[in-house]
């Protein structure tokens, strides 16, 4: 029975480890889809997100804003909503790229460099992709914002991975097993 359980664990590890890259692939597809929207579609999406955010803020904080005021706030904050979306997309991409690499044993600075370069490279290609879309223009500032999100994502992954290794997944030492 012991060998059967060992076989099942090894088989699951063999199958599930490569599947840990699936979230990164999904995140790359999501980013590509958002970049493929023309300027008008992108503006409408930013506007809708702004309306939702300010509506929730109005209800939560009991501000008493009218719907016209919420729409005006959404229009005025579209630029910031877009930049926050860039940062968040690449934060999630970096986590979804760095975590499987961490699982495969890439640690420390090498993890940050590899995951960071991958995400920055994807950001550059994403901006290049946007240059072919009607109403969209590539921007170096967007690559910098994307890179900042990717950098923070790799740092968070390192912290979570290190914390998990030092606490939850730490092997019990012999002195604790004997007592």
């Amino acid at each position: 029975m012991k060998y059967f359980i060992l076989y099942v664990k090894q088989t699951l590890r063999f199958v599930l480890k490569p599947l840990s890259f699936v979230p990164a692939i999904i995140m790359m597809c999501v980013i590509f889809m958002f970049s493929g929207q023309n300027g008008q579609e992108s503006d409408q999406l930013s506007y809708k997100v702004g309306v939702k955010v300010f509506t929730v803020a109005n209800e939560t904080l009991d501000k008493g804003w009218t719907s016209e005021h919420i729409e005006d706030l959404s229009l005025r904050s579209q630029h910031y909503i877009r930049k926050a979306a860039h940062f968040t997309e690449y934060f999630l991409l970096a986590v979804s790229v760095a975590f499987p690499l961490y699982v495969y044993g890439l640690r420390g600075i090498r993890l940050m460099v590899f995951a960071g370069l991958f995400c920055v490279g994807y950001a550059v290609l994403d901006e290049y992709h946007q240059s072919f879309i009607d109403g969209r223009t590539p921007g170096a500032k967007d690559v910098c914002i994307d890179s900042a999100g990717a950098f923070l994502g790799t740092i968070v992954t390192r912290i979570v991975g290190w914390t998990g290794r030092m606490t939850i997944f730490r092997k019990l030492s012999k002195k604790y097993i004997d007592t």
Side-chain angles (χ1 to χ4, degrees), residues 10-96:
Q10 288 176 337
T11 304
L12 281 174
R13 212 174 261 151
F14 179 75
V15 171
L16 293 179
K17 269 180 106 174
L19 290 178
S20 65
F21 286 101
V22 169
I25 294 168
I26 291 171
M27 197 62 218
M28 291 168 68
C29 291
V30 167
I31 291 170
F32 188 81
M33 180 192 70
F34 282 136
S35 294
Q37 293 178 332
N38 66 33
Q40 187 177 12
E41 290 172 330
S42 182
D43 286 343
Q44 288 174 348
L45 181 61
S46 298
Y47 174 76
K48 288 178 185 177
V49 168
V51 168
K52 291 271 187 199
V53 167
F54 288 117
T55 300
V56 168
N58 183 36
E59 293 169 359
T60 304
L61 302 174
D62 198 26
K63 290 286 195 180
W65 293 334
T66 64
S67 60
E68 292 82 20
H69 184 66
I70 290 172
E71 291 171 3
D72 182 52
L73 286 172
S74 179
L75 283 173
R76 286 190 289 151
S77 61
Q78 270 192 11
H79 174 76
Y80 302 106
I81 292 169
R82 285 174 183 264
K83 301 313 169 194
H86 271 270
F87 186 88
T88 305
E89 286 173 341
Y90 281 88
F91 173 86
L92 294 174
L93 178 63
V95 169
S96 63

